[in-house]
Amino acid sequence: APALQALLKAGVADSFNAVTIDGDTSTSDTLLMFATGAAAAQGAPKITKASDVRLKAFVKALQGVLNNLAEQVARDGEGARKLVEVVVEGATTKASARKIAMSIANSPLVKTAIAGEDANWGRVVMAVGKAGEPANRDKLSISFNGIRVAKSGARDPSYDETEVSNAMKNDKVQIKVALGLGKGRDRVLTCDLTKEYVAINGDYRS
């Protein structure tokens, strides 16, 4: 069903394709959605275009399901204890924001800091820089779970170690990076990198 394929392709862009566990992929990674024709058998009119206005509620529901399943994938990462949401805003484009967010989400140093409940914003700055996208250190602001730890490329004057440390104990951690360059925004999901991840993959035998 071309219409269903088009809807799925659009839906995975900000759900499954915005999830990373360790930057690697599997030959078994698969997402399937089926059109069974059951509704047509009951007299429902055939829909052939993804732009059909009758699909509005379906598209909204589909995106909700895809988002929920994608989050479950991130939460179920090998050895994961924390869900991590990386939000990048103020980038030059959405594509640039996605690349920077993925750089942060795939950084072993950032992920181990999250596992250790350390709001190590220096590692986030490193990951922003290595993405190779437009960024200006002096405009950079970084927050963990809504608490700003860095402003204009330096430690935030209101930084409170106790407040931040308590926030990092949550089982969901949001890292928000504001670049201050444009209107590009994106988000990706990942998880922390724990000793259990090393044990699972180190003990694995094919």
Side-chain angles (χ1 to χ4, degrees), residues 67-85:
N67 290 345
N68 181 274
L69 291 174
E71 180 174 317
Q72 290 185 52
V73 169
R75 285 188 180 276
D76 196 40
E78 294 159 317
R81 290 181 295 179
K82 295 179 185 291
L83 174 70
V84 182
E85 179 187 40

Side-chain angles (χ1 to χ4, degrees), residues 98-123:
R98 170 65 64 91
K99 190 172 181 180
I100 293 170
M102 280 292 185
S103 179
I104 296 168
N106 281 324
S107 167
L109 288 178
V110 172
K111 292 161 73 71
T112 50
I114 299 299
E117 300 180 344
D118 175 20
N120 192 320
W121 61 272
R123 295 184 181 184

Side-chain angles (χ1 to χ4, degrees), residues 31-47:
L31 176 64
L32 299 173
M33 183 165 66
F34 296 93
T36 64
Q42 297 176 15
K46 188 175 182 179
I47 295 177

Side-chain angles (χ1 to χ4, degrees), residues 13-15 17-18 67 85-102 104 133-134 143 146 172 174-189:
D14 291 324
S15 57
N17 288 349
N67 290 345
E85 179 187 40
V86 181
V87 177
V88 175
E89 58 188 22
T92 53
T93 64
K94 176 179 171 65
S96 180
R98 170 65 64 91
K99 190 172 181 180
I100 293 170
M102 280 292 185
I104 296 168
E133 292 295 312
S143 301
K172 179 178 179 179
Q174 183 196 71
I175 303 172
K176 180 179 284 188
V177 176
L179 298 172
L181 299 178
K183 297 182 179 180
R185 185 184 190 279
D186 210 345
R187 67 182 282 274
V188 302
L189 296 176

